[in-house]
Amino acid sequence: MKQSPKRTVTSKQVRRNQRVFGRTLLVIFTFALVLFIGRFSYIAIGKNVEHVNLSTQAKKLYTANHTLKAQRGTIYDASSQPIAEDTSTYSLYAVLDKNQRTIAGKPMYVTNKARAARVLSKYLPISDQKALAYLTPSNKKAFQVEFGAAGQNISLTTKEKIDQAHIHGLTFVQRQARLYPNGVFASHLIGNVTATAKGQLVGTMGIEGADNDLLKGVDGFKKVSQDNNGYQIPGSNQKARKPRNGDNVYTTLDSRLQTLLETQMSVLQDKTHSKTLNAVLMNAKTGAIVAATQRPTFDPQTGKGLNSVWRNTLIQDSYEPGSTMKVFTMAASIDSGNYNGNATYQSGRYEVGGRTVPDWNPGGWGTITYNKGFALSSNVAMAHLEQQMGAKTWKKYINRFKFLQPTGFGLPGEQSGGIAFNHTIDQADTAFGQGIQVTAIQMMQGLSAIGNNGKMLKPYLVRKIVDPNTGKVVKSYGKKEVGQPISAATAKAVRGHMQDVVYKKYGIGSDYKIKGIRIAAKTGTAQVSNGKSGYLSGDDSYLYSVAGMAPAKNPKYIMYITMKQPNLPGTETPTQLMADVFKPVMKRALQEDTSTANNQAADKMLSYVNRSTSGAKNDLTSRGYKVTVIGNGNHVLKQSPISGQVMMSHQRVILITGGTPKMPVLTGWSSSDVLRLGQMLGLNVKTDGNGFVTKQSIAVGKQVNESDKLTVHLK
């Protein structure tokens, strides 16, 4: 088989191939270089890459933007003491994992638990035993622990004192917060705030919500040029805008009276477990709301109870008022010239439009005068009065008193009420408070005409709004007459009939007598609507109320209380239960008013927080106050009453210090003092009876913990 000849590559061919490869490589390299230079030139001149401006991006990279937070406006009481204010608070946790160390090897966990517990008990409302229990959890692998309520909402001052002890492993977390120093305090009127994802506080109800745009202010900013390490570049330009702090809101609330009202309402709610309770105290001469609260309520600081009821029942609940409406029926009858108080009628039952109007006492009281009928709260008497003056006249006065329309109180969601007035029986029913729906704030407005000699005043809660940046008053509010539905003579006559309710032997309001003070009042009982076309049935299906004013001759204050669907204890009547709220609050309001009239300087509570326990006790004792110290700490952590509240002579002051809280001797304490103690210690307090403490369920000297149940018997 013949083989093919071998091909040989000459050196000349190799050299030629090398030259071709080299030239090709040079062309490729040259082309790439041209592209690179072209692209670089394009970027250098245009400063854009894929529609991104490099110059702008570089400025962003080396410019730090700092937001300068605006301070939310403060809400004040009538004495210019803060009710709601901005603050920075801290929460505390302790690291237990022994693997946590610094780069240098120093421990970042709690190394001496006993010493840490002693330090925490000194500055926080927690015993050293309980603090140590938190630090030694059952789970031995726990990375870190918190300290419950005692480790929340810690002030900067307290944080600094704990830091000075140099305890390894204790860590504080700062957050912007809203401070409500009074706790439960007209909570639905003041409102509360929530934090957005960016940490901004936003009002959600009450004044916080209604005036949020005024309160929130406007954040500022600062732009700083910096180098790669984050340091400001010397000589670089800065852009800045100062924050504009939010406006301050000044209310008409008297802290001393508000605190007392909260206490008495808590006692009433504990006894009755009412579906809703409302109580309002108003200055009869100006329309200023001095104190107001509701039940259920909530603590805006902790949020406890917030889910019970979101609405402000003072303005957002409309209801049939019952016999307190007879005040306005009497006023309309007198003012229209139709009233003859000495005329008589047959009580018990009355046929109107083919239907029967019954008295609350179905057997009646025989033939009696209309004057007596009012004092006895006779429905039949009021139906007669409505028939005598005529439905058209009666409706005219309903409109004059501005029922069926909002008062313009200034908070969102105010209801206008309603009325059933098409049939003869409907018209008669409204004369004794059924078939007409009102709000508590409408009742206060209408009652102002009775107490203020015919001149009706608009209730108001905010007295002024001030710009803290300039000190100028942005808005101001005050006394505002909104009509004169009746004459002065009529108002005086109605107050006379309201006194008969309290002082006549047959009057049904004798429980509202206050020694040395003449009271004008009218009680009420109304069936509660079932939401359809009828009424609920059962012993606990009523709304009880009282409208009162004092002094009767020339009222300075008007008070209105409603108690809806209570579980009555059986040992006390509805009037007795509500009198336990009405009398102490009205009495103290008039005492404070008398003190001011006599030009006596009101003694206000000082701040003793962070002062030495012994020094605070000695100072308060020298001022004539009764002082109770809870705990064995060296410094005061909490106090009640709070700073700025007007004090009564020999009033009890409670000081909470660090260390183990133990139950004091409560014998002789008032129910309001016991409730204040319960609120400060987080106890579940139940009172039995009226007067002063004779027995207590928790023994003297026993350590108390949050949520312990304390029952006291009063006599």
Side-chain angles (χ1 to χ4, degrees):
M1 188 174 182
K2 188 182 285 187
Q3 295 180 347
S4 60
K6 294 183 179 179
R7 295 181 62 187
T8 58
V9 179
T10 65
S11 59
K12 185 177 181 180
Q13 289 174 323
V14 171
R15 286 195 298 272
R16 185 173 65 246
N17 291 340
Q18 287 176 341
R19 284 197 301 272
V20 171
F21 178 77
R23 288 170 182 170
T24 302
L25 190 63
L26 178 63
V27 170
I28 293 172
F29 177 77
T30 303
F31 181 72
L33 182 62
V34 170
L35 284 178
F36 176 77
I37 293 172
R39 179 63 173 167
F40 183 81
S41 300
Y42 172 78
I43 293 173
I45 296 171
K47 298 181 180 180
N48 281 280
V49 177
E50 295 184 0
H51 308 293
V52 176
N53 188 286
L54 296 181
S55 178
T56 303
Q57 193 70 10
K59 287 181 180 179
K60 289 182 179 179
L61 184 62
Y62 296 105
T63 302
N65 294 313
H66 300 286
T67 299
L68 304 178
K69 285 285 187 182
Q71 183 175 341
R72 189 173 177 85
T74 301
I75 302 175
Y76 294 96
D77 68 5
S79 299
S80 299
Q81 295 297 314
I83 299 173
E85 59 184 330
D86 266 11
T87 186
S88 289
T89 62
Y90 299 83
S91 57
L92 171 67
Y93 69 88
V95 176
L96 303 181
D97 184 2
K98 294 183 179 180
N99 294 319
Q100 300 304 306
R101 296 176 177 273
T102 65
I103 297 176
K106 293 183 179 181
M108 295 176 62
Y109 60 91
V110 178
T111 56
N112 189 332
K113 295 180 179 180
R115 180 169 178 264
R118 287 195 299 272
V119 170
L120 293 179
S121 68
K122 183 177 180 180
Y123 298 110
L124 299 179
I126 190 174
S127 66
D128 54 355
Q129 294 95 334
K130 190 169 184 180
L132 187 59
Y134 276 115
L135 292 169
T136 53
S138 57
N139 180 10
K140 301 299 183 182
K141 295 183 179 180
F143 180 83
Q144 66 186 43
V145 293
E146 298 179 348
F147 297 88
Q152 303 294 322
N153 298 317
I154 299 171
S155 69
L156 175 61
T157 303
T158 301
K159 172 189 176 295
E160 290 173 344
K161 290 181 178 179
I162 295 174
D163 283 340
Q164 289 171 4
H166 303 293
I167 303 294
H168 291 299
L170 296 183
T171 303
F172 292 91
V173 178
Q174 183 183 8
R175 66 183 180 89
Q176 186 181 10
R178 193 70 163 162
L179 177 64
Y180 298 91
N182 298 347
V184 176
F185 186 95
S187 301
H188 285 84
L189 293 179
I190 302 305
N192 71 336
V193 297
T194 57
T196 65
K198 295 182 179 180
Q200 187 176 18
L201 300 179
V202 179
T204 57
M205 65 172 67
I207 292 174
E208 293 274 33
D211 294 329
N212 184 67
D213 289 343
L214 295 172
L215 287 163
K216 69 180 182 181
V218 179
D219 289 343
F221 67 86
K222 183 171 67 173
K223 292 184 178 180
V224 180
S225 297
Q226 60 186 26
D227 60 19
N228 288 335
N229 296 316
Y231 295 107
Q232 182 179 339
I233 299 173
S236 60
N237 294 326
Q238 294 186 38
K239 291 183 179 181
R241 183 184 69 194
K242 291 182 178 180
R244 182 192 176 281
N245 292 332
D247 294 337
N248 295 329
V249 177
Y250 292 78
T251 72
T252 58
L253 296 173
D254 183 313
S255 287
R256 186 174 63 90
L257 296 174
Q258 181 68 39
T259 302
L260 177 60
L261 180 61
E262 297 286 1
T263 300
Q264 299 306 119
M265 286 284 278
S266 293
V267 173
L268 180 58
Q269 181 67 343
D270 288 343
K271 287 182 177 180
T272 65
H273 303 287
S274 301
K275 188 171 182 179
T276 58
L277 288 175
N278 270 108
V280 193
L281 180 69
M282 185 176 75
N283 186 313
K285 301 301 181 186
T286 65
I289 301 299
V290 179
T293 191
Q294 68 178 64
R295 294 294 182 275
T297 187
F298 69 98
D299 186 334
Q301 191 63 55
T302 63
K304 183 178 180 181
L306 186 57
N307 292 329
S308 297
V309 58
W310 281 84
R311 68 188 186 282
N312 180 349
T313 55
L314 177 70
I315 62 171
Q316 292 180 306
D317 273 15
S318 56
Y319 54 89
E320 296 177 59
S323 295
T324 45
M325 192 71 188
K326 294 171 183 176
V327 171
F328 305 104
T329 309
M330 176 68 82
S333 180
I334 294 172
D335 201 69
S336 63
N338 289 285
Y339 187 70
N340 180 358
N342 293 320
T344 60
Y345 71 99
Q346 180 63 40
S347 63
R349 302 170 68 85
Y350 179 45
E351 296 295 326
V352 178
R355 302 284 294 274
T356 300
V357 172
D359 275 323
W360 61 266
N361 174 16
W365 304 271
T367 301
I368 58 174
T369 65
Y370 287 101
N371 287 341
K372 187 173 183 178
F374 182 83
L376 285 166
S377 198
S378 167
N379 293 341
V380 172
M382 296 302 108
H384 275 290
L385 295 186
E386 186 275 327
Q387 293 284 292
Q388 291 166 9
M389 64 178 139
K392 186 176 181 180
T393 298
W394 170 224
K395 184 66 178 299
K396 179 180 70 176
Y397 278 93
I398 289 174
N399 293 330
R400 279 190 179 184
F401 280 108
K402 294 190 180 296
F403 292 113
L404 313 180
Q405 59 179 290
T407 66
F409 187 60
L411 297 183
E414 183 178 358
Q415 299 297 302
S416 57
I419 192 171
F421 210 74
N422 293 328
H423 303 97
T424 304
I425 186 62
D426 296 334
Q427 296 155 5
D429 284 346
T430 59
F432 50 87
Q434 300 281 176
I436 182 171
Q437 292 187 324
V438 302
T439 63
I441 203 66
Q442 285 176 332
M443 289 293 286
M444 294 304 294
Q445 180 171 269
L447 289 167
S448 71
I450 308 299
N452 199 39
N453 292 326
K455 295 178 180 179
M456 192 161 65
L457 305 177
K458 179 181 178 179
Y460 68 99
L461 177 65
V462 175
R463 53 193 175 94
K464 64 179 178 180
I465 297 174
V466 177
D467 183 347
N469 306 286
T470 63
K472 293 182 178 180
V473 176
V474 178
K475 295 180 182 179
S476 60
Y477 306 88
K479 178 180 178 180
K480 182 178 180 180
E481 292 183 15
V482 290
Q484 185 166 346
I486 55 175
S487 68
T490 296
K492 182 178 179 180
V494 173
R495 293 200 302 270
H497 290 292
M498 292 173 71
Q499 291 176 70
D500 290 346
V501 173
V502 180
Y503 297 101
K504 291 291 187 181
K505 289 183 179 181
Y506 48 78
I508 62 173
S510 61
D511 290 317
Y512 296 97
K513 291 179 182 177
I514 300 177
K515 186 177 180 180
I517 303 170
R518 191 77 176 176
I519 303 295
K522 182 69 190 77
T523 60
T525 304
Q527 290 179 284
V528 176
S529 171
N530 61 11
K532 298 177 182 178
S533 58
Y535 294 94
L536 298 175
S537 60
D539 294 337
D540 300 326
S541 299
Y542 294 91
L543 181 139
Y544 301 95
S545 60
V546 62
M549 50 194 74
K553 185 177 181 180
N554 184 21
K556 295 180 180 179
Y557 293 99
I558 299 170
M559 191 168 187
Y560 181 58
I561 304 171
T562 63
M563 182 171 65
K564 184 179 180 181
Q565 292 178 265
N567 296 313
L568 298 175
T571 55
E572 297 174 272
T573 66
T575 56
Q576 290 172 333
L577 290 165
M578 291 185 293
D580 288 340
V581 176
F582 180 91
K583 292 196 292 185
V585 175
M586 182 64 81
K587 183 177 181 180
R588 187 172 292 184
L590 292 170
Q591 286 174 341
E592 181 179 339
D593 200 67
T594 301
S595 174
T596 304
N598 293 335
N599 294 319
Q600 298 174 358
D603 192 6
K604 293 185 178 181
M605 185 66 174
L606 302 176
S607 175
Y608 292 92
V609 174
N610 295 323
R611 291 179 58 175
S612 71
T613 303
S614 58
K617 184 176 180 180
N618 291 336
D619 186 51
L620 288 163
T621 303
S622 68
R623 294 172 182 269
Y625 301 123
K626 302 173 185 176
V627 183
T628 298
V629 177
I630 306 296
N632 53 12
N634 296 324
H635 293 83
V636 178
L637 301 177
K638 293 181 181 179
Q639 67 179 65
S640 178
I642 63 170
S643 171
Q645 287 192 356
V646 178
M647 301 291 288
M648 301 293 291
S649 60
H650 308 298
Q651 188 169 342
R652 186 177 301 280
V653 176
I654 304 172
L655 304 177
I656 304 293
T657 71
T660 305
K662 295 182 179 180
M663 180 57 59
V665 178
L666 301 180
T667 302
W669 284 38
S670 68
S671 61
S672 60
D673 288 342
V674 175
L675 283 169
R676 282 195 294 128
L677 176 68
Q679 290 171 354
M680 296 180 79
L681 296 179
L683 302 177
N684 182 7
V685 178
K686 181 180 179 181
T687 62
D688 179 26
N690 295 287
F692 300 92
V693 176
T694 57
K695 294 181 182 179
Q696 60 190 84
S697 63
I698 300 178
V700 175
K702 183 179 179 181
Q703 181 177 336
V704 293
N705 298 300
E706 289 184 8
S707 301
D708 279 354
K709 185 174 182 180
L710 171 64
T711 301
V712 294
H713 297 273
L714 304 130
K715 189 175 181 180

